[in-house]
């Protein structure tokens, strides 16, 4: 291999279960390959590191054809919780950690976790609302500086 | 594939530096293989992880990924990355003379 990836910066912008997991898996996988990794949580993706919300991330059952559910069924109250539980139990079977555990695990690998300042301001949050693993609240400019020289993945 | 001399023995490594034939490996090769990974000196803690890696491969047929390695070795993930900064599962597998561990988590 003549060319290898040395650094990735991954943006997590979605707050659904299926929006957050791929980014976390890619981040963790990058670290296990020895790639320097930053995660930037923005907009609804910030829920992944929100103290009171990150244990309650839901699978989206509306407008998600991948679930192969009847469209009307997706909107029935409680369906999202049921489908989330089902998905979580399947993930547990193959030893995929829960989102809070995954966040801690990724921080332990030495990856940098950052929250988007615009989002924090927009939702009226502060650093105290975010889990301890978040190192800093940064601007988009800071993010680009941090990502310089590496690859950027937007999810 | 490339042949390489480790501790005076010729061994076959694949393009990513993993042993093509794990049987060619012996414990005496550890310091030299570790040095090639930038790990010098090899501490007792490194050895614990490397031996678990080898043992897992020999009993289960493949080496564990980082999460599984932390569980079976009782070495926390944070420390695994301090011991093997360029990827604990990958580096420990190269030093333990086994194929690359498979797994996404």
């Amino acid at each position: 291999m003549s060319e290898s990836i040395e650094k990735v910066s991954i943006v997590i912008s979605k707050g659904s279960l299926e929006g957050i997991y791929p980014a976390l898996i890619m981040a963790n996988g990058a670290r296990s390959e020895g790639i320097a990794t930053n995660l930037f949580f923005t907009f609804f993706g910030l829920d992944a590191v929100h103290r009171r919300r990150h244990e309650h991330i839901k699978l989206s059952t509306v407008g998600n054809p991948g679930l192969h559910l009847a469209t009307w069924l997706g909107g029935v109250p409680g369906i999202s919780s049921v489908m989330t539980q089902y998905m979580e139990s399947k993930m547990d079977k193959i030893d995929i950690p829960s989102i809070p555990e995954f966040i801690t695990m990724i921080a332990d690998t030495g990856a940098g976790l950052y929250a988007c300042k615009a989002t924090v301001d927009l939702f009226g949050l502060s650093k105290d609302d975010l889990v301890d693993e978040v190192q800093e609240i940064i601007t988009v400019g800071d993010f680009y500086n941090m990502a310089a020289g590496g690859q950027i993945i937007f999810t | 594939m490339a042949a390489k001399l480790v501790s005076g023995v010729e061994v076959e490594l694949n393009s990513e530096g993993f042993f093509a034939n794990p049987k060619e490996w012996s414990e005496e090769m550890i310091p030299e293989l570790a040095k090639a990974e930038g790990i010098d000196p090899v501490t007792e803690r490194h050895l614990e992880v490397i031996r678990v890696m080898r043992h897992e491969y020999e009993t289960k047929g493949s080496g564990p990924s980082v999460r599984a390695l932390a569980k079976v070795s009782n070495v926390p993930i944070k420390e695994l990355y301090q011991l093997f900064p360029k990827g604990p599962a990958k580096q420990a597998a190269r030093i333990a003379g086994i194929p690359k561990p498979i797994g996404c988590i």
Side-chain angles (χ1 to χ4, degrees), chain A residues 25 28 31-34 95 97 101 105 108-109, chain B residues 66-67 71 77-78 81 85-87 90 100 105:
Chain A
I25 291 172
N28 182 62
R31 286 300 300 132
S32 71
E33 289 295 316
D95 201 29
E101 193 191 342
M105 184 174 144
D108 282 348
T109 69
Chain B
V66 184
R67 179 168 159 84
K71 282 184 180 171
I77 286 182
K78 207 172 197 167
Y81 276 92
K86 290 183 183 154
K90 242 173 107 171
K100 185 176 180 176
I105 311 287

Side-chain angles (χ1 to χ4, degrees), chain B residues 10-96:
Chain B
E10 199 179 89
V11 298
E12 196 82 34
L13 301 181
N14 71 14
S15 59
E16 281 190 279
F18 295 92
F19 271 60
N21 311 307
K23 282 190 180 131
E24 292 176 344
W25 180 89
S26 67
E27 275 218 38
E28 298 83 74
M29 297 176 180
I30 291 176
E32 197 178 326
L33 292 168
K35 210 169 199 168
E37 294 292 322
I39 294 161
D40 189 21
V42 177
T43 65
E44 202 40 55
R45 208 64 176 152
H46 285 110
L47 284 177
E48 257 177 61
V49 176
I50 293 161
R51 288 191 184 121
V52 167
M53 205 73 191
R54 184 79 193 180
H55 179 77
E56 286 293 296
Y57 169 75
E58 279 169 358
T59 50
K60 295 178 184 159
S62 68
S65 63
V66 184
R67 179 168 159 84
L69 179 60
K71 282 184 180 171
V72 292
S73 68
N74 271 321
V75 178
I77 286 182
K78 207 172 197 167
E79 192 185 343
L80 283 176
Y81 276 92
Q82 284 158 1
L83 294 168
F84 303 95
K86 290 183 183 154
K90 242 173 107 171
Q91 289 196 294
R94 281 202 196 100
I95 301 168

Side-chain angles (χ1 to χ4, degrees), chain A residues 84-153:
Chain A
T84 300
Q85 267 180 23
Y86 171 69
M87 189 66 92
E88 282 174 346
S89 77
K90 287 196 85 164
M91 292 200 288
D92 192 50
K93 277 189 194 122
I94 58 165
D95 201 29
I96 295 180
S98 68
I99 287 174
E101 193 191 342
F102 216 166
I103 293 287
T104 305
M105 184 174 144
I106 290 168
D108 282 348
T109 69
L113 278 71
Y114 303 93
C116 161
K117 183 168 188 321
T119 308
V120 168
D121 292 346
L122 176 67
F123 294 157
L125 302 171
S126 75
K127 182 89 171 54
D128 294 338
D129 295 304
L130 307 175
V131 298
D132 295 336
E133 284 84 352
V134 174
Q135 292 170 3
E136 218 181 320
I137 296 167
I138 64 170
T139 65
V140 67
D142 295 333
F143 168 76
Y144 279 122
N145 282 335
M146 211 172 260
Q151 308 284 326
I152 296 176
I153 300 172

Side-chain angles (χ1 to χ4, degrees), chain A residues 12 16 18 23 27 52 61-62 70 76 98 102 108 112 114 142:
Chain A
I12 298 108
S16 59
E18 74 277 22
R52 290 183 307 281
T61 50
V62 173
V76 170
S98 68
F102 216 166
D108 282 348
Y114 303 93
D142 295 333

